Amino acid sequence: MIFDHIDFDDHEHVAFASDPDSGLRCIIAVHSTTLGPSAGGTRFWSYADSASALTDALRLSRAMSLKNAMADIPHGGGKGVIMKPEGEFDREAIFAAYGRALNRVGGAYYTAEDVGVSPDDMRVIHRQTDYVAGLDEGAAASGDPSPVTADGVYRGLCVAIKRKLNKNDFSDLTVAVQGLGHVGYALCGHLHAAGAKLIVADIRDDVLQSAISDFDASVVPVEAIHAVDADVFAPCALGGAVNANTIGGIQVKIVGGAANNQLATPDMGQALHERGILYCPDYVLNGGGIINVAAELSGHYDPNWVDGKLNGLADTLAAVFEAAEADNVSPDVVAERMALARIAAKKLDMA
Ligand code: NAD
């Protein structure tokens, strides 16, 4: 029963949609619309079963509420997950059916790209519905949010190295990047330009070869990246990079990357804190993409507004670090407290 699910957090609306003709099976989870219509990406992924997809939808949509609150945008939290069918399938038919499913949610949720989804998929969705952003054509189109996410992660890491290592740039620093996808690769570009030495891991050989030639990166196996000798560990693949098995091996002073849900369990934040490792709460650090989406959803894409919001996000991260140090707790505890307070204040305003 969904109401007894461990990750159910009084989500306002959870929709299950299927379309046997295309093979679509998806879950659209709206966690909160207090700050505005919910917004968050859609994930297209091979889930082992529907229970795993539901867990992802519930957890990721709640994280979007926190992320959007910290990014200071007029949107609540929501997320879509599409279960990638096994074997052959018609991708366009699936995303078209998904667009029709979004219409049935009626504007409580706006989607954009997440893992496994591209601007091409958004274009297909857009033929069915207006509840979509991350488009690459149209008056306010903002395209793939990944480069802006990477920009935000980079600005946040600059705040973190100043706070933890008293460094103003990356010239003497080594960063271990896990996952060289849309965000991870762009983040490597920023870090390389800023003088960082890069150690990278991915399951794809093509991106590793590119990172060697573009960034002079060193490559390690995926199971070793969390434990390399570096200053910063940047998880940019899937969630759960910091877990009971990896935490003992983490040697860096700072953990911060683009991946959502980096802490496999909430106690991992405190465990990092106790080991003197500064954790950059993922949903604060990676809010750049949703800021870009919000710019598009406003109907008028303004790059200056996006730039200002990215600077605001970096200031918010600095405030989180400050309060965490004052209270001697992990930054993720403070970030959640701040985000929930912002949502509660809006609720009070509306009452
Ligand atoms: P992506 O699919 O483009 O990249 C993920 C990369 O991780 C791929 O290159 C993949 O091969 C690699 N990978 C998969 N398993 C791995 C493993 N075990 N070890 C090392 N590498 C592995 O996704 P993305 O858009 O770059 O997003 C990366 C993360 O950032 C995701 O967790 C996503 O939810 C989060 N995020 C993305 C955005 C965005 O704007 N794209 C915004 C916020 C958060």
Side-chain angles (χ1 to χ4, degrees), residues 197-208:
K197 182 176 176 307
L198 294 173
I199 304 175
V200 300
D202 198 292
I203 52 175
R204 289 167 47 201
D205 194 50
D206 58 334
V207 286
L208 293 173

Side-chain angles (χ1 to χ4, degrees), residues 178 221-229 233-235 237-252 255 261-265 267-269 271-272 275 277 279:
Q178 177 187 50
V222 290
E223 56 282 1
I225 187 73
H226 67 280
V228 298
D229 182 10
F233 171 40
L238 293 179
V242 181
N243 59 51
N245 294 326
T246 58
I247 191 157
I250 295 176
Q251 305 185 43
V252 294
V255 172
N261 294 338
Q262 286 168 37
L263 306 178
T265 49
D267 57 316
M268 288 296 132
L272 287 173
R275 297 189 58 214
I277 299 168
Y279 173 61

Side-chain angles (χ1 to χ4, degrees), residues 44-282:
F44 187 57
W45 194 246
S46 300
Y47 289 98
D49 49 38
S50 49
S52 316
L54 177 61
T55 296
D56 231 13
L58 293 176
R59 290 190 67 185
L60 291 167
S61 58
R62 180 179 189 273
M64 286 310 303
S65 289
L66 303 179
K67 184 187 300 197
N68 294 350
M70 293 304 262
D72 192 25
I73 56 171
H75 291 284
K79 198 87 182 178
V81 303
I82 303 177
M83 298 177 69
K84 191 172 179 177
E86 280 179 32
E88 289 201 359
F89 58 86
D90 181 342
R91 188 176 181 102
E92 199 166 323
I94 286 184
F95 279 89
Y98 182 65
R100 294 192 290 277
L102 291 177
N103 278 331
R104 294 194 290 275
V105 177
Y109 170 63
Y110 283 79
T111 196
E113 294 89 345
D114 189 45
V115 176
V117 176
S118 71
D120 283 348
D121 300 317
M122 293 299 121
R123 207 175 311 127
V124 173
I125 293 173
H126 191 218
R127 282 190 216 122
Q128 308 293 330
T129 183
D130 285 333
Y131 303 133
V132 56
L135 298 165
D136 54 11
E137 46 193 36
S142 64
D144 178 4
S146 307
V148 185
T149 302
D151 186 352
V153 172
Y154 174 69
R155 293 187 201 199
L157 288 180
C158 290
V159 172
I161 60 165
K162 178 71 189 163
R163 172 126 213 135
K164 186 73 185 172
L165 308 171
N166 198 25
K167 293 275 187 193
N168 291 317
D169 63 57
F170 282 87
S171 52
D172 294 327
L173 300 181
T174 301
V175 183
V177 182
Q178 177 187 50
L180 301 178
H182 291 93
V183 184
Y185 205 86
L187 176 63
C188 285
H190 287 286
L191 292 168
H192 177 68
K197 182 176 176 307
L198 294 173
I199 304 175
V200 300
D202 198 292
I203 52 175
R204 289 167 47 201
D205 194 50
D206 58 334
V207 286
L208 293 173
Q209 293 311 321
S210 302
I212 292 170
S213 63
D214 290 352
F215 312 129
D216 200 19
S218 310
V219 173
V220 297
V222 290
E223 56 282 1
I225 187 73
H226 67 280
V228 298
D229 182 10
D231 301 288
V232 179
F233 171 40
C236 297
L238 293 179
V242 181
N243 59 51
N245 294 326
T246 58
I247 191 157
I250 295 176
Q251 305 185 43
V252 294
K253 288 282 174 238
I254 297 165
V255 172
N260 286 312
N261 294 338
Q262 286 168 37
L263 306 178
T265 49
D267 57 316
M268 288 296 132
Q270 192 58 21
L272 287 173
H273 177 66
E274 282 164 12
R275 297 189 58 214
I277 299 168
L278 184 66
Y279 173 61
C280 308
D282 44 19

